[in-house]
Amino acid sequence: MAVSVVALVAAGCGKSSNEASDSGKDSSGGYSGKGIGLAYDIGGKGDQSFNDAAYAGFAKAEKEFEIGGRDIEPQDGESDADKIQRLTTLAKAGYNPIIGVGYSYAPAVKEVAAHYPKVTFGMIDDETIKAKNVVDLVFSAEQSSYLAGVAAAKASKKDHIGFIGGVDIPLIHTFEAGFDQGAKSVNPKIKIESQYLTETAAEGGFSSPDKGQSAADGQIDAGADVIYHAAGLSGQGVIKAAATHKVWAIGVDSDQYRQSPLAKYKDHILGSALKNVGGAVYELVKSVHEGKPLSGVVVGDLKSGGVGFADSNPGYRAMKDVVAAVEKAKEDVVDGKVKVATE
């Protein structure tokens, strides 16, 4: 079937158990850090999507390596200065690695990493920071979105589908580009609704389920019967609207069919375009724990299992023609027969 991703089991927040040196290692080279520092993006823990995927990797690493950890929620309307202070607090406390969840942390990670060269920083969804102690964890979201587009076009009974992006930024354009290309590979004439909830993240595009629900209601009223969202917490509203109208929704980042707060809507979640954020967080922590911290850009794509399409819904798996089309699309991308656009 579709790509499988590393299974990550969420556990409770860890507490610091060790005193840390500024390097995260003791004199013998072994790990002696306080644990993992994780700073969430807009929407925070509980979004059933991007942030929760990061938390799953955090929790798995805490448990497996028996280390401490601290995860911190964002504030509404916060500035880069707030993020800098948050990461600095984690670094001063001895956490290593420290991970910024989401592109908005790039300026803060760049600045704080320069002041703490012996601490490894993870930067998710941004690859602009070039520093020895920074790992840029990025994902080929256009590839998983391509599979979502194929699934949507094959499952649609009206040849009419929709895309809802949280914020009108280049990162989310990548999701839309892949989705559109995948859908049109099935039906060049398919009608695709498109809407971005806000121009900036500060306006709530990633954190407002009501905005997501309203946008989805509008697309469904216009005739769409499958809607794909790349909208973080706002996507919960998209999924609710799809279930209310008894059409399909496609989730993002995490396998949203399996998220317990969305259980009452799950029969209307066709699948989810996955980004193995949790796996990336876990591997970064593992590298630091073993004394061989990652550095540079690490790309998760279909070939590596860093992105994929979740097939948890039995209703999806029963649609043999849809499953076959998605599997063929995956093979074509991995084999290089299809190059997916990013804009």
Side-chain angles (χ1 to χ4, degrees), residues 1 4 19 22 26 36 44 48 80 96 127 144 183 185 192 204 210 240 242 280 282 284 292 297 300 304 311 322 343:
M1 294 288 179
S4 61
E19 289 299 319
D22 65 352
D26 61 24
I36 318 156
Q48 314 304 319
D80 286 341
N96 185 20
E127 55 182 314
S144 51
S185 74
I192 305 175
D210 58 326
K240 179 180 179 181
Y282 171 83
L284 172 55
K292 299 177 181 178
V297 179
S304 69
D311 62 353
V322 179
E343 57 184 8

Side-chain angles (χ1 to χ4, degrees), residues 88-318:
T88 299
T89 297
L90 290 169
K92 283 183 176 179
Y95 291 98
N96 185 20
I98 296 169
I99 302 166
V101 184
Y103 70 94
S104 64
Y105 273 94
V109 168
K110 183 177 182 180
E111 178 165 334
V112 180
H115 292 291
Y116 294 87
K118 294 182 180 180
V119 175
T120 297
F121 289 80
M123 180 65 250
I124 298 176
D125 273 353
D126 181 273
E127 55 182 314
T128 62
I129 306 170
K130 309 304 176 187
K132 188 176 180 180
N133 63 323
V134 175
V135 188
D136 294 320
L137 303 169
V138 295
F139 302 87
S140 299
E142 73 279 2
Q143 294 183 355
S144 51
S145 296
Y146 181 86
L147 302 187
V150 170
K154 290 291 291 186
S156 176
K157 296 179 179 179
K158 298 182 178 180
D159 295 326
H160 192 166
I161 60 179
F163 171 82
I164 293 174
V167 180
D168 191 357
I169 54 174
L171 175 65
I172 306 303
H173 297 169
T174 297
F175 288 81
E176 182 179 16
F179 180 70
D180 286 2
Q181 184 179 340
K184 290 176 180 177
S185 74
V186 174
N187 178 3
K189 296 182 178 180
I190 195 166
K191 187 171 182 179
I192 305 175
E193 304 288 334
S194 176
Q195 183 174 346
Y196 288 86
L197 300 180
T198 62
E199 292 294 318
T200 66
E203 296 172 281
F206 291 131
S207 56
S208 305
D210 58 326
K211 294 182 190 298
Q213 183 173 353
S214 178
D217 283 339
Q219 292 193 355
I220 295 166
D221 287 345
D225 61 356
V226 186
I227 299 178
Y228 172 45
H229 84 84
L233 182 65
S234 300
Q236 293 188 21
V238 175
I239 292 169
K240 179 180 179 181
T244 299
H245 292 277
K246 301 187 184 307
V247 300
W248 288 116
I250 296 178
V252 77
D253 294 342
S254 296
D255 183 353
Q256 297 200 293
Y257 178 86
R258 293 188 178 278
Q259 302 301 312
S260 56
L262 299 174
K264 60 185 174 181
Y265 309 128
K266 69 179 186 178
D267 289 344
H268 294 278
I269 300 174
L270 183 68
S272 297
L274 300 172
K275 287 198 315 190
N276 194 7
V277 176
V281 168
Y282 171 83
E283 291 297 333
L284 172 55
V285 176
K286 180 181 178 183
S287 75
V288 174
H289 181 70
E290 294 177 346
K292 299 177 181 178
L294 295 171
S295 185
V297 179
V298 177
V299 180
D301 59 12
L302 274 179
K303 189 171 185 178
S304 69
V307 300
F309 190 76
D311 62 353
S312 300
N313 190 341
Y316 167 79
R317 294 197 301 271

